[in-house]
Amino acid sequence: GQNIDQPTEMTATEGAIVQINCTYQTSGFNGLFWYQQHAGEAPTFLSYNVLDGLEEKGRFSSFLSRSKGYSYLLLKELQMKDSASYLCAVHSGNTGKLIFGQGTTLQVKP
Amino acid sequence: DSGVTQTPKHLITATGQRVTLRCSPRSGDLSVYWYQQSLDQGLQFLIQYYNGEERAKGNILERFSAQQFPDLHSELNLSSLELGDSALYFCASSVKGGGANTGELFFGEGSRLTVL
């Protein structure tokens, strides 16, 4: 089967750093994606990891350990607009589809 | 703007009815994916088409069907609607149909279906 786990909710303070974890068990692995989704809006692409290690992109970084089936998304210098759901998704087969976790709702407080 | 266009944006209908949701992928993208997102639920994969052919199927109900046309736009047909079908339906597209380096999916704004 395929299973992707993320915390349901997290709260952090404006200006702080937050780490959102994701663990996965999938049949096959072709990469892990992080998407951001504001309520009622389309998911937008944040990052992609296919090899182990850290990918940095501005205030956002994503880490992958394939042997542990583990990834995290690191958000620095949090802003109020970062309040959203963060979706971890795995590309596991040869078809292109992404399997999504339930998402982590992040609330940034002043 | 992702370049993926979905219509209608909102749809309200009654139980037992049938609706069609439409998606136009980004220019040049050959793959179209349909996802369902119910309240407080994650994105559930329904079905994928690549260059007109069905490529992958998820937990799509038998009451639902889809197709991709020669101009690459896709339609998702939902019939015998039930209250539980109320959800956001997202379409996404990608250049490739699968394999390594398929790349990210680009999502449309979604069609919000309310079944009363």
Side-chain angles (χ1 to χ4, degrees):
Chain A
Q2 316 220 71
N3 195 42
I4 301 173
D5 286 319
Q6 328 177 211
T8 304
E9 295 178 344
M10 297 184 72
T11 303
T13 305
E14 191 176 15
I17 299 173
V18 71
Q19 178 175 312
I20 303 174
N21 296 323
C22 171
T23 58
Y24 64 90
Q25 289 177 307
T26 57
S27 53
F29 181 83
N30 283 329
L32 188 141
F33 295 78
W34 285 95
Y35 279 79
Q36 180 190 60
Q37 185 181 25
H38 286 97
E41 298 183 7
T44 55
F45 169 76
L46 288 178
S47 69
Y48 170 64
N49 295 71
V50 65
L51 299 176
D52 290 353
L54 188 68
E55 293 284 340
E56 297 187 81
K57 191 187 288 187
R59 293 189 299 115
F60 294 1
S61 302
S62 57
F63 172 83
L64 175 67
S65 169
R66 288 172 296 170
S67 62
K68 295 182 180 178
Y70 168 70
S71 173
Y72 67 73
L73 180 68
L74 194 70
L75 292 77
K76 304 175 187 175
E77 301 170 12
L78 282 171
Q79 301 175 8
M80 298 300 291
K81 67 177 183 180
D82 296 329
S83 292
S85 285
Y86 291 85
L87 311 178
C88 174
V90 173
H91 178 213
S92 69
N94 292 320
T95 64
K97 73 181 187 217
L98 294 181
I99 304 302
F100 284 84
Q102 290 289 91
T104 299
T105 299
L106 173 66
Q107 184 179 18
V108 179
K109 294 186 174 180
Chain B
D1 183 4
S2 68
V4 179
T5 304
Q6 289 188 246
T7 56
K9 286 186 169 31
H10 300 276
L11 192 55
I12 300 174
T13 189
T15 55
Q17 295 299 304
R18 171 190 170 95
V19 299
T20 297
L21 309 180
R22 181 187 169 103
C23 170
S24 294
R26 291 189 322 155
S27 177
D29 283 0
L30 299 177
S31 254
V32 168
Y33 310 77
W34 286 97
Y35 285 85
Q36 180 192 56
Q37 188 174 43
S38 302
L39 195 63
D40 296 330
Q41 294 288 312
L43 285 162
Q44 301 295 317
F45 171 71
L46 295 178
I47 198 163
Q48 175 197 359
Y49 280 83
Y50 176 73
N51 205 20
E53 299 291 325
E54 183 183 303
R55 189 66 182 257
K57 212 166 187 176
N59 296 325
I60 187 167
L61 299 172
E62 285 191 12
R63 300 183 285 110
F64 296 1
S65 65
Q67 55 184 333
Q68 186 178 28
F69 295 86
D71 67 353
L72 300 177
H73 91 272
S74 178
E75 293 181 356
L76 179 66
N77 301 296
L78 315 175
S79 62
S80 302
L81 285 168
E82 301 176 358
L83 296 178
D85 297 329
S86 295
L88 257 176
Y89 291 84
F90 285 105
C91 169
S93 73
S94 66
V95 172
K96 295 183 180 181
N101 301 317
T102 293
E104 73 263 33
L105 305 188
F106 296 87
F107 283 82
E109 293 297 313
S111 293
R112 182 175 292 282
L113 173 66
T114 302
V115 182
L116 301 176

